[in-house]
Amino acid sequence: MSLEPLSDLLIEPVVRSALAEDLGRAGDITSQACVDPEARLKVRFAVRQDGVIAGLDCARLAMAAMDPALRFSAQRRDGDRVEAGEVLARVEGNARAILAAERVALNLLGRLSGIATLTHAYVDAVAGTRAKIVDTRKTTPGLRMLEKYAVRCGGGVNHRFGLDDAILIKDNHVAAAGGVGRALERARAAAGHLVQIEVEVDGLDQLDEALAGQPDVVMLDNFSLEDMAEAVRRTAGRVRLEASGGVNLATVRAIAETGVDVI
Amino acid sequence: MSLEPLSDLLIEPVVRSALAEDLGRAGDITSQACVDPEARLKVRFAVRQDGVIAGLDCARLAMAAMDPALRFSAQRRDGDRVEAGEVLARVEGNARAILAAERVALNLLGRLSGIATLTHAYVDAVAGTRAKIVDTRKTTPGLRMLEKYAVRCGGGVNHRFGLDDAILIKDNHVAAAGGVGRALERARAAAGHLVQIEVEVDGLDQLDEALAGQPDVVMLDNFSLEDMAEAVRRTAGRVRLEASGGVNLATVRAIAETGVDVI
Amino acid sequence: MSLEPLSDLLIEPVVRSALAEDLGRAGDITSQACVDPEARLKVRFAVRQDGVIAGLDCARLAMAAMDPALRFSAQRRDGDRVEAGEVLARVEGNARAILAAERVALNLLGRLSGIATLTHAYVDAVAGTRAKIVDTRKTTPGLRMLEKYAVRCGGGVNHRFGLDDAILIKDNHVAAAGGVGRALERARAAAGHLVQIEVEVDGLDQLDEALAGQPDVVMLDNFSLEDMAEAVRRTAGRVRLEASGGVNLATVRAIAETGVDVI
Amino acid sequence: MSLEPLSDLLIEPVVRSALAEDLGRAGDITSQACVDPEARLKVRFAVRQDGVIAGLDCARLAMAAMDPALRFSAQRRDGDRVEAGEVLARVEGNARAILAAERVALNLLGRLSGIATLTHAYVDAVAGTRAKIVDTRKTTPGLRMLEKYAVRCGGGVNHRFGLDDAILIKDNHVAAAGGVGRALERARAAAGHLVQIEVEVDGLDQLDEALAGQPDVVMLDNFSLEDMAEAVRRTAGRVRLEASGGVNLATVRAIAETGVDVI
Amino acid sequence: MSLEPLSDLLIEPVVRSALAEDLGRAGDITSQACVDPEARLKVRFAVRQDGVIAGLDCARLAMAAMDPALRFSAQRRDGDRVEAGEVLARVEGNARAILAAERVALNLLGRLSGIATLTHAYVDAVAGTRAKIVDTRKTTPGLRMLEKYAVRCGGGVNHRFGLDDAILIKDNHVAAAGGVGRALERARAAAGHLVQIEVEVDGLDQLDEALAGQPDVVMLDNFSLEDMAEAVRRTAGRVRLEASGGVNLATVRAIAETGVDVI
Amino acid sequence: MSLEPLSDLLIEPVVRSALAEDLGRAGDITSQACVDPEARLKVRFAVRQDGVIAGLDCARLAMAAMDPALRFSAQRRDGDRVEAGEVLARVEGNARAILAAERVALNLLGRLSGIATLTHAYVDAVAGTRAKIVDTRKTTPGLRMLEKYAVRCGGGVNHRFGLDDAILIKDNHVAAAGGVGRALERARAAAGHLVQIEVEVDGLDQLDEALAGQPDVVMLDNFSLEDMAEAVRRTAGRVRLEASGGVNLATVRAIAETGVDVI
């Protein structure tokens, strides 16, 4: 699978508001004072540490928003593995414009590459198993679309984008509905035919109750490895299983080897 | 010094756009399916790990934006040190509204408290020295105002908010202006009388050149501890000194003990 | 299943921009000229023709946005079947505020109720069959969320909210990917685990090819009733079938009786 | 009279927000999965049914907003009468960009052309009389400017754009002011010298009272054909007369033949 | 004629963006440093110099936007004549909130009252003549609605609000259309039935040509007093006449006495 | 010191919203009626009265926003002294686009040049003294950035851009803190290390108290010339002194000659 870039149309508003935030009410007063208006500059964006790249389009659009005449050329592509010291991109043109856009470009590139790199570490750790690595809704307000994209750059898969694109029944919902079975019933009745239903269970008993309700996905919350393996056996492929809780780079491989579909 | 909360007027747009991002085009379809419209809920926000709190107003405003009738009561205040398990706030009211706003409230509270906690660790490490801990412009696009506030909650002090509120002369500017002295001269001529001028130097020689230009602050970039101490001696309080580069929790105490003003 | 109202947070921006559009640059100059500032008014919103109601919250919020002191009381609820002449809601308070908000309130109420009423006619027509009525993305720019809600008020079910919440493979995509099978393969590899995959087929041969690719839903495009029935037989419940093309109130019952799941 | 296109500056925000609404938080995931990033496409926009075209600039701007490199060439112009099957426009370029923008382009083109076509049917029906066809404020929230433009494309004339650009005295205002004469007096005193005053009357008696107040336009609300003709006689060209109520394609010709100015 | 206040809905966005502009990225740091969070304050808005008041609602909304709990009580109303030293309004509540909103409140109140006062001086100068004082489109970007309102507070009448609400044919248009007569013909054909047509003429010859085209208003551009008087005679009330050019407080009375309708 | 232009990125939103305000809901209906769609025009922007120019980029961007194909060429630069009759800029291209953008271009150019010209008169008046002319926060809501820029064009220096970029202690703050000394103490404790502290004093006694607190700037509020001169003596260069109150073109020279730094 190739990695699909986001449309500029979706990125541009984020980049522009980040620039406006940084330029404030008078722009880059240091460059205005110290750099001649016509001065030119060449800058290279280099990799700080080994990892996976995400956000090159953000950097390109930050430069273009400050000055459409800047020449930006990417040397690598989002999703590429890179080593410290490699050149990611070059930009050349008006010095003031480049200096003014640089911080925003680096902030976005750094943050998204960090997410991609971390995601990739998890993906690497489970290589050879059937498990896919997914993200959460614990994203930065205003940047969810970009952070979810960075997860894809790192080889991960996206979970829900918001409260509106899948049903995820948690303990509060179960309590409110009066049990796992009743919650699934209500969810099935309310859901559009393209909406998937996932339910969180906290033990094997609740798993059985959930399976009877035919959800699309079951999330095993804080299961021991043994219980997880047992859950895989009981489910026998009827629904997808998602492991949640206690996941870190030290534990993820063992979790994946239980046979769950998603972590 | 007491900690000063941000005006709701400044926080509300961030909170509302975060909610809109999460609610998407159909709202919280899980609660719509599983929770009765009139159901009520009480939720407690508890501390996950020891640290310093920041962002309680964000949590309050997220709840109020979903439903002005929710009753939110904070048990602690931003800037307080808290221990894992403590209750930060309670909210009570319509169950659907609380569940819909919960993720946004927790995302902001968690991110800002994390910044406050980390800042505080640095502040603690330099306790008893004259050094103050300051932040950078490496913030999340769209959240700079809140993240700078979280630094203050942690006992830190804010550096520039943007490119427009102080002059900070770095190597590129020095090169463009033709030397540290010439850059400071241009900066002084261009600056408003309320604008401070800071210059970055990379060695003791450049420090001498900078001092001749009478900046308000000099940033010592990647100085050894010995050179830093020597810089403090040479400067003799005429300008404030700021240490930059190679700062982490292991090194910060020794840096502070050289006598610099800001780290 | 009860009908779930949209959050005010999602409706308010639409209502406010509609009011701003109508008030223009000087507000309601007729009422300013002819109605005393303190004059009071009672208005009843009555049903023009039999149908299903949608949009009462829009009307309420339009009144509240003009003047929070207006007293709006709904007599019916969205999704209710109503007869011409029935009173839907009453509003009482400052006359100028009510007159200024009235057109916006009626425009939204009328448009959404029209959609709900038409949807309900289709839902009625297929009563007793297993078929559900779904909508399309042929919505009014800026009002998709509300129009999709009106479909739910009429008893229909929502299809995709946008290009991003399900994969729907059409003829162009099949052509680009090199066949239905290849397109489904690529879709399965790219899709997150909560994303459903639907594929459009234009004949029974293509249906067989599609079934081999295990989509979640197959859309039968412009099938004859006979072919549709045959498709139901061949599919045998393995995927959901959606009928598309040539659907109107005269044909929908016969289509539903072929056994398709969604129309 | 030639038809005047709207400035791109006025259309672009509508088109961009429609695209954002459709692209959601991840863009067109179907094309991302099934269509190669470099694939190219040629698409023709063809007429579905005989009518009058409106909205070609919307289609062009939707394509340009997704990808400025797309080549869009209109074959016809807004306001043209077209027959089913005719090609309106061609677009060529990156396949993903075209597929992502297509729905928005078609939604706007279809909606506006529908309005233009219906308007034109009324204009045709009164051909040869002095009557002009005008629109109302019953427009879609957010699209009034475009829908009013479509009315002009169909040969109609625009009534008020909002509450602020003409005075239109209706029954509520008459009641509040204490009679038609008193309402007109107040309107005349309050109106700027470029603001026209229109008053609605519900019978011949009220017409006489209105004429005494010298409005610019009188709206005859639900008059019989006989009363309308009598109104034309009594008015003798002193003010313009507008017929309202009970207007449809079956009745509009007879109404126009009474001699009213505007319907 | 009583003066009609603008709806809060129209004023609020202006006030909020003015506050955001002033609060910047950290709010009122002086009050945060020097004023206790719970301190209370009473402030009186007093008149600086004799004049006419406009903008009290702006001041009220600025206070309410900072803190809904502030108690604002206006002692006078927009449009009132006031003398230096009089108290316009009182506000009481949280000291920080009042100090933060004060500058924005005063800026709007001062600017709008200045416009109202100047307008009133012109209106006073022509008292007893038939002439009305009107404004122009030379307004501050973003504040046109408020500045036009201030003109009304001063007793003036509004000219066009924008390029879209009346036709005003100037020399460039006459040249483009090929003469005054041809321009009026084209305008009449294009205008909606509620749109007034005004034409600018630069001499008595052009006036005659204009009168033949039956505009609603003729603007006499830089006419001498004699020519103006002659224009009034020739027109004999058939159209309204507007004097333009060389108008100031010293000349306006004589201009009004020529009998023109609008200045 | 050369004058530094603002980034287009900062100006464009102001220009676009000013155009939208002027175009309203139907655009320039006069040009639509009277000017052929393909007609071309050449326009020269000429100086009305002697002064200093500011805002040429606003004019250029207004034209570009209406039609990117317009050719705009500036003959002078912001900050230049110009004489009545001089040509500032030429624009050539589509006639309708130029006519539609002209008012907005002129409004911004006129307002900003007026500010630059007035500022320059003050700067001229104090030529040869050490005093610099600074501005205030009494700016037009929404235009502060541009108006501050115009002050720089006129040779002035900017004071605070908002409440957040320097501490300015006034009488209310002194009262709230309990004296000048206490207020300065609190300010010093709260301020970031790049934030300057200014304090307002109303007499020589308060000056002495202020000097003890070591502010960066002291504002002498309504001092007599004698007291101002005495203040300069007492201060002896330890802090900068700013004169405020009673400043106009007749008094500014004498004030400057007392030796204050800023007026």
Side-chain angles (χ1 to χ4, degrees):
Chain A
M1 184 193 86
S2 65
L3 180 76
E4 306 311 333
L6 284 172
S7 162
D8 285 2
L9 196 78
L10 295 172
I11 306 174
E12 240 185 329
V14 177
V15 167
R16 281 183 176 271
S17 81
L19 285 168
E21 183 185 52
D22 203 24
L23 292 170
R25 290 166 290 203
D28 181 357
I29 58 175
T30 309
S31 295
Q32 287 167 15
C34 301
V35 181
D36 290 325
E38 314 301 334
R40 294 181 68 77
L41 197 66
K42 280 191 202 185
V43 166
R44 298 187 309 179
F45 290 87
V47 181
R48 289 282 184 98
Q49 48 189 55
D50 294 6
V52 175
I53 281 304
L56 281 165
D57 285 329
C58 297
R60 172 176 57 80
L61 289 169
M63 293 294 161
M66 275 309 298
D67 181 354
L70 297 181
R71 290 217 310 267
F72 181 95
S73 62
Q75 312 294 308
R76 304 298 303 260
R77 294 162 52 118
D78 280 1
D80 284 356
R81 303 189 71 158
V82 293
E83 291 177 17
E86 270 192 67
V87 173
L88 292 176
R90 289 192 171 81
V91 62
E92 180 177 355
N94 184 277
R96 286 184 176 183
I98 293 175
L99 291 170
E102 194 181 22
R103 178 79 274 138
V104 164
L106 288 175
N107 279 1
L108 284 163
L109 195 55
R111 165 174 298 273
L112 299 182
S113 296
I115 292 172
T117 299
L118 185 61
T119 304
H120 194 264
Y122 280 89
V123 170
D124 252 10
V126 304
T129 71
R130 58 176 293 137
K132 289 184 174 179
I133 300 298
V134 303
D135 53 26
T136 69
R137 274 169 49 242
K138 289 174 194 161
T139 58
T140 311
L143 295 185
R144 182 170 291 169
M145 185 182 60
L146 288 173
E147 295 184 349
K148 293 261 172 186
Y149 166 74
V151 166
R152 298 198 296 276
C153 290
V157 173
N158 297 139
H159 208 274
R160 292 195 296 175
F161 273 79
L163 292 162
D164 64 326
D165 58 353
I167 287 181
L168 174 47
I169 301 170
K170 299 197 173 182
D171 48 1
N172 273 317
H173 305 109
V174 168
V180 165
R182 182 68 189 120
L184 280 166
E185 215 173 287
R186 289 175 68 158
R188 185 59 67 202
H193 75 300
L194 291 176
V195 174
Q196 300 248 10
I197 296 171
E198 176 167 354
V199 63
E200 179 185 295
V201 299
D202 59 12
L204 289 169
D205 286 356
Q206 219 178 21
L207 171 65
D208 294 336
E209 197 183 343
L211 290 176
Q214 292 187 292
D216 298 291
V217 188
V218 173
M219 182 192 289
L220 311 173
D221 193 39
N222 285 315
F223 271 47
S224 66
L225 289 175
E226 295 69 38
D227 283 359
M228 235 181 259
E230 171 63 18
V232 173
R233 269 188 299 279
R234 288 198 194 175
T235 305
R238 277 175 295 166
V239 305
R240 268 156 290 150
L241 291 179
E242 179 174 337
S244 171
V247 180
N248 55 49
L249 277 175
T251 61
V252 70
R253 176 85 204 172
I255 294 172
E257 288 177 346
T258 64
V260 295
D261 302 271
V262 184
I263 301 176
Chain B
M1 184 193 84
S2 64
L3 180 76
E4 305 311 334
L6 286 171
S7 162
D8 285 2
L9 198 78
L10 296 170
I11 306 174
E12 239 184 328
V14 177
V15 167
R16 282 184 176 269
S17 82
L19 285 168
E21 183 185 53
D22 203 24
L23 292 170
R25 290 168 289 207
D28 181 356
I29 58 175
T30 309
S31 294
Q32 287 167 14
C34 301
V35 180
D36 289 326
E38 315 302 335
R40 294 181 68 78
L41 197 65
K42 280 189 201 187
V43 165
R44 298 187 309 177
F45 289 87
V47 181
R48 289 282 184 97
Q49 48 188 57
D50 293 6
V52 175
I53 281 305
L56 281 166
D57 285 329
C58 298
R60 172 177 56 82
L61 289 169
M63 293 294 160
M66 276 308 298
D67 180 354
L70 296 181
R71 290 219 309 269
F72 181 95
S73 62
Q75 312 296 309
R76 304 299 303 261
R77 293 162 52 119
D78 280 0
D80 284 357
R81 303 190 70 159
V82 294
E83 290 177 20
E86 271 190 68
V87 172
L88 293 176
R90 291 194 170 79
V91 61
E92 180 177 354
N94 182 277
R96 286 184 176 183
I98 293 174
L99 291 170
E102 194 182 23
R103 177 81 272 138
V104 164
L106 288 174
N107 279 1
L108 283 163
L109 196 54
R111 164 174 298 272
L112 298 182
S113 296
I115 292 173
T117 300
L118 185 60
T119 303
H120 194 263
Y122 280 88
V123 170
D124 253 8
V126 303
T129 71
R130 57 176 296 137
K132 289 182 173 180
I133 299 297
V134 304
D135 54 26
T136 70
R137 276 171 47 244
K138 289 175 194 161
T139 57
T140 311
L143 294 186
R144 182 169 292 169
M145 186 182 59
L146 288 173
E147 295 184 349
K148 293 260 172 187
Y149 166 74
V151 166
R152 298 198 297 276
C153 290
V157 173
N158 296 140
H159 208 274
R160 294 195 296 175
F161 273 79
L163 292 163
D164 65 326
D165 58 354
I167 287 182
L168 174 46
I169 301 171
K170 299 196 173 181
D171 50 0
N172 273 317
H173 305 110
V174 168
V180 164
R182 180 72 189 117
L184 279 166
E185 215 173 286
R186 290 175 68 158
R188 184 60 66 202
H193 76 300
L194 291 177
V195 173
Q196 301 249 10
I197 297 172
E198 176 166 355
V199 62
E200 178 186 295
V201 299
D202 58 12
L204 290 169
D205 287 356
Q206 221 178 18
L207 170 65
D208 294 336
E209 198 183 342
L211 289 176
Q214 293 185 290
D216 299 292
V217 187
V218 173
M219 182 193 288
L220 311 173
D221 192 39
N222 285 315
F223 271 46
S224 67
L225 289 174
E226 294 71 35
D227 283 359
M228 236 181 258
E230 170 62 19
V232 172
R233 270 188 298 278
R234 288 197 195 175
T235 304
R238 279 174 295 164
V239 306
R240 269 156 287 151
L241 291 179
E242 178 175 338
S244 170
V247 180
N248 55 51
L249 277 175
T251 62
V252 70
R253 177 85 204 171
I255 293 173
E257 289 176 344
T258 64
V260 296
D261 303 271
V262 183
I263 301 177
Chain C
M1 183 193 83
S2 66
L3 180 75
E4 305 311 332
L6 285 171
S7 162
D8 285 3
L9 197 78
L10 296 171
I11 306 174
E12 240 185 327
V14 177
V15 168
R16 282 185 176 269
S17 82
L19 285 168
E21 182 184 53
D22 203 25
L23 292 170
R25 289 167 290 205
D28 181 356
I29 58 175
T30 309
S31 296
Q32 288 167 13
C34 301
V35 180
D36 289 325
E38 315 302 335
R40 294 182 68 78
L41 198 64
K42 280 190 202 186
V43 166
R44 298 187 312 177
F45 289 88
V47 181
R48 288 282 184 98
Q49 47 190 55
D50 294 6
V52 175
I53 281 304
L56 281 166
D57 285 329
C58 298
R60 172 176 55 80
L61 288 169
M63 293 294 160
M66 275 309 298
D67 180 355
L70 297 181
R71 289 219 310 269
F72 181 94
S73 62
Q75 312 296 308
R76 304 297 303 261
R77 293 161 51 119
D78 280 0
D80 284 356
R81 303 190 69 159
V82 293
E83 290 177 19
E86 271 190 68
V87 172
L88 293 176
R90 290 191 171 80
V91 62
E92 181 178 354
N94 182 276
R96 286 184 176 182
I98 293 174
L99 291 169
E102 193 182 23
R103 177 81 273 139
V104 164
L106 289 174
N107 279 0
L108 283 164
L109 196 54
R111 164 174 298 272
L112 298 183
S113 296
I115 291 172
T117 300
L118 185 61
T119 303
H120 194 264
Y122 280 89
V123 171
D124 253 8
V126 304
T129 71
R130 57 176 295 137
K132 288 183 173 180
I133 299 298
V134 303
D135 53 25
T136 69
R137 276 170 46 244
K138 289 175 193 159
T139 58
T140 312
L143 296 185
R144 182 169 292 169
M145 186 182 58
L146 288 173
E147 295 183 349
K148 294 260 172 186
Y149 166 73
V151 166
R152 298 198 295 277
C153 290
V157 173
N158 296 140
H159 208 274
R160 292 197 295 175
F161 273 79
L163 292 163
D164 65 326
D165 59 353
I167 287 182
L168 174 46
I169 301 170
K170 298 197 174 182
D171 48 1
N172 273 317
H173 304 110
V174 167
V180 163
R182 180 71 189 118
L184 279 167
E185 217 172 285
R186 289 175 67 158
R188 185 60 67 203
H193 76 298
L194 291 176
V195 173
Q196 300 249 9
I197 297 172
E198 175 167 356
V199 63
E200 178 186 296
V201 300
D202 58 12
L204 290 169
D205 286 357
Q206 222 179 19
L207 171 64
D208 293 337
E209 198 182 342
L211 289 176
Q214 291 186 292
D216 298 292
V217 187
V218 173
M219 183 193 288
L220 311 173
D221 192 39
N222 284 315
F223 272 45
S224 66
L225 289 174
E226 294 71 37
D227 283 359
M228 235 180 258
E230 171 62 18
V232 172
R233 270 188 298 277
R234 288 197 194 175
T235 304
R238 279 173 295 164
V239 305
R240 269 156 288 150
L241 290 179
E242 179 175 338
S244 170
V247 180
N248 56 49
L249 277 175
T251 61
V252 69
R253 177 85 204 171
I255 293 171
E257 289 177 344
T258 64
V260 295
D261 303 271
V262 183
I263 301 176
Chain D
M1 184 193 84
S2 65
L3 180 76
E4 306 310 333
L6 285 172
S7 162
D8 285 3
L9 196 77
L10 295 171
I11 307 174
E12 240 184 327
V14 177
V15 167
R16 281 184 177 271
S17 82
L19 285 168
E21 182 185 54
D22 204 25
L23 292 170
R25 290 168 289 205
D28 181 357
I29 58 176
T30 309
S31 294
Q32 288 167 14
C34 300
V35 180
D36 290 325
E38 315 302 334
R40 295 182 67 77
L41 196 65
K42 281 190 199 185
V43 164
R44 298 186 310 177
F45 289 87
V47 181
R48 288 281 184 99
Q49 48 189 56
D50 295 6
V52 175
I53 281 306
L56 281 166
D57 285 329
C58 297
R60 171 176 57 80
L61 289 169
M63 293 293 160
M66 276 309 299
D67 180 354
L70 296 182
R71 290 220 308 270
F72 181 94
S73 62
Q75 313 293 309
R76 305 298 305 261
R77 294 162 51 118
D78 280 1
D80 285 356
R81 303 190 68 158
V82 294
E83 291 177 17
E86 272 191 66
V87 172
L88 292 177
R90 290 192 171 80
V91 61
E92 182 179 354
N94 182 276
R96 286 183 176 182
I98 293 174
L99 291 170
E102 194 182 22
R103 178 81 272 139
V104 165
L106 288 174
N107 279 1
L108 283 164
L109 196 55
R111 166 174 297 272
L112 299 182
S113 297
I115 292 172
T117 299
L118 185 61
T119 304
H120 195 264
Y122 279 89
V123 170
D124 252 9
V126 302
T129 72
R130 59 176 294 138
K132 289 184 174 180
I133 299 298
V134 303
D135 53 27
T136 70
R137 276 170 47 243
K138 289 174 194 161
T139 58
T140 312
L143 295 186
R144 182 170 290 170
M145 186 182 61
L146 289 172
E147 295 184 351
K148 293 260 172 186
Y149 166 74
V151 166
R152 299 197 296 276
C153 290
V157 173
N158 296 139
H159 209 275
R160 292 196 295 175
F161 273 79
L163 291 163
D164 65 327
D165 60 353
I167 287 182
L168 174 46
I169 301 169
K170 299 197 173 182
D171 49 0
N172 272 318
H173 306 109
V174 167
V180 164
R182 181 69 189 119
L184 279 166
E185 215 172 286
R186 289 175 68 157
R188 185 60 67 202
H193 75 299
L194 291 176
V195 173
Q196 300 248 10
I197 297 171
E198 177 166 353
V199 62
E200 180 186 294
V201 299
D202 60 10
L204 288 169
D205 287 355
Q206 222 179 17
L207 171 64
D208 293 337
E209 198 183 343
L211 289 175
Q214 293 186 291
D216 299 291
V217 187
V218 173
M219 183 191 288
L220 311 173
D221 192 40
N222 285 316
F223 271 46
S224 67
L225 288 175
E226 295 70 38
D227 283 0
M228 235 181 258
E230 172 61 19
V232 172
R233 269 188 300 276
R234 288 197 195 174
T235 305
R238 279 174 293 165
V239 305
R240 269 156 287 151
L241 290 179
E242 178 174 338
S244 169
V247 181
N248 56 50
L249 278 174
T251 61
V252 69
R253 177 85 204 172
I255 293 171
E257 288 178 345
T258 64
V260 296
D261 302 271
V262 183
I263 300 176
Chain E
M1 183 193 86
S2 64
L3 180 77
E4 306 310 333
L6 286 172
S7 162
D8 285 1
L9 197 77
L10 295 172
I11 306 174
E12 240 185 328
V14 177
V15 167
R16 282 184 175 269
S17 81
L19 286 169
E21 183 185 51
D22 204 25
L23 292 171
R25 289 167 290 205
D28 181 356
I29 58 175
T30 308
S31 296
Q32 287 167 14
C34 301
V35 181
D36 289 326
E38 314 301 335
R40 294 182 68 77
L41 197 64
K42 280 191 202 185
V43 165
R44 297 187 311 177
F45 290 87
V47 181
R48 289 281 185 98
Q49 47 188 55
D50 293 6
V52 175
I53 282 304
L56 281 165
D57 286 329
C58 298
R60 172 177 54 82
L61 289 169
M63 293 294 160
M66 275 308 299
D67 180 354
L70 297 181
R71 289 218 310 268
F72 181 95
S73 62
Q75 311 295 308
R76 305 298 303 261
R77 294 163 51 119
D78 281 0
D80 284 357
R81 302 190 72 158
V82 293
E83 290 176 19
E86 271 191 68
V87 172
L88 292 176
R90 290 192 171 81
V91 62
E92 181 178 354
N94 182 277
R96 287 184 175 182
I98 292 175
L99 291 170
E102 194 181 23
R103 178 79 273 140
V104 164
L106 288 174
N107 279 1
L108 284 163
L109 196 55
R111 164 173 298 273
L112 299 182
S113 296
I115 292 172
T117 299
L118 185 61
T119 303
H120 194 263
Y122 280 89
V123 170
D124 252 8
V126 304
T129 71
R130 58 177 295 138
K132 289 183 173 179
I133 299 298
V134 303
D135 54 26
T136 70
R137 275 169 48 243
K138 289 174 194 160
T139 58
T140 311
L143 295 185
R144 183 168 290 169
M145 187 182 59
L146 288 173
E147 295 184 350
K148 294 260 172 187
Y149 166 73
V151 166
R152 299 197 296 276
C153 290
V157 173
N158 297 139
H159 208 274
R160 293 195 296 175
F161 273 78
L163 292 163
D164 65 326
D165 60 352
I167 287 182
L168 174 45
I169 301 171
K170 299 196 173 180
D171 49 1
N172 272 319
H173 305 109
V174 167
V180 164
R182 181 71 189 116
L184 279 166
E185 214 173 287
R186 288 175 69 159
R188 185 60 67 201
H193 76 299
L194 290 177
V195 174
Q196 299 249 11
I197 297 172
E198 177 167 355
V199 63
E200 178 186 296
V201 299
D202 58 13
L204 289 168
D205 287 357
Q206 221 179 19
L207 171 64
D208 293 337
E209 197 183 342
L211 290 175
Q214 293 186 291
D216 299 292
V217 187
V218 173
M219 183 193 288
L220 310 174
D221 191 38
N222 285 314
F223 272 46
S224 67
L225 288 174
E226 295 70 37
D227 283 0
M228 236 181 257
E230 170 63 19
V232 172
R233 272 188 296 278
R234 287 197 195 174
T235 305
R238 278 175 295 165
V239 305
R240 269 156 289 152
L241 290 180
E242 178 174 339
S244 170
V247 181
N248 56 50
L249 278 175
T251 61
V252 69
R253 177 84 203 172
I255 293 171
E257 289 176 345
T258 64
V260 296
D261 303 270
V262 183
I263 300 177
Chain F
M1 183 193 86
S2 64
L3 181 76
E4 306 310 334
L6 285 171
S7 161
D8 285 3
L9 197 78
L10 295 172
I11 307 173
E12 240 185 328
V14 178
V15 167
R16 281 184 176 271
S17 82
L19 286 168
E21 182 185 53
D22 204 25
L23 292 170
R25 290 167 289 204
D28 181 356
I29 59 175
T30 309
S31 295
Q32 288 167 14
C34 300
V35 180
D36 290 325
E38 315 300 335
R40 294 181 69 77
L41 197 64
K42 281 190 200 185
V43 164
R44 297 187 310 178
F45 289 87
V47 181
R48 288 283 183 97
Q49 48 189 55
D50 294 6
V52 174
I53 281 305
L56 281 166
D57 285 330
C58 298
R60 171 175 58 80
L61 289 169
M63 293 293 160
M66 276 308 300
D67 180 354
L70 296 182
R71 289 219 309 269
F72 181 94
S73 61
Q75 312 294 308
R76 303 298 305 260
R77 293 161 52 119
D78 280 0
D80 284 356
R81 302 190 70 158
V82 294
E83 290 176 18
E86 271 192 67
V87 173
L88 292 176
R90 290 192 170 82
V91 61
E92 181 178 353
N94 183 276
R96 286 184 176 183
I98 293 174
L99 291 170
E102 194 181 23
R103 178 81 270 136
V104 165
L106 288 174
N107 279 1
L108 283 164
L109 195 54
R111 165 173 297 272
L112 298 182
S113 297
I115 292 172
T117 299
L118 186 60
T119 303
H120 195 264
Y122 280 89
V123 170
D124 253 9
V126 303
T129 71
R130 58 178 293 137
K132 289 184 174 179
I133 300 298
V134 304
D135 53 25
T136 69
R137 274 169 49 243
K138 289 174 193 160
T139 58
T140 312
L143 294 186
R144 183 169 290 170
M145 185 182 60
L146 288 172
E147 295 183 349
K148 294 260 173 186
Y149 166 74
V151 166
R152 298 197 297 275
C153 290
V157 173
N158 297 139
H159 208 274
R160 292 196 298 175
F161 273 78
L163 292 163
D164 64 327
D165 58 355
I167 287 182
L168 173 46
I169 301 170
K170 300 197 173 181
D171 49 0
N172 272 318
H173 305 109
V174 168
V180 164
R182 181 71 189 118
L184 280 166
E185 215 173 286
R186 289 176 68 157
R188 185 60 68 202
H193 75 300
L194 292 176
V195 173
Q196 300 249 10
I197 297 171
E198 176 167 354
V199 63
E200 180 186 294
V201 299
D202 58 12
L204 288 169
D205 287 356
Q206 221 179 20
L207 171 65
D208 294 336
E209 197 183 343
L211 289 175
Q214 293 186 291
D216 298 291
V217 188
V218 173
M219 183 192 289
L220 311 174
D221 192 37
N222 285 315
F223 272 46
S224 67
L225 288 175
E226 294 70 38
D227 283 359
M228 236 181 257
E230 170 62 18
V232 171
R233 270 187 298 277
R234 287 197 195 174
T235 305
R238 278 174 296 166
V239 306
R240 269 156 287 153
L241 290 179
E242 179 174 337
S244 169
V247 181
N248 56 51
L249 277 175
T251 61
V252 70
R253 178 83 205 173
I255 294 171
E257 289 176 344
T258 64
V260 297
D261 302 271
V262 184
I263 301 176

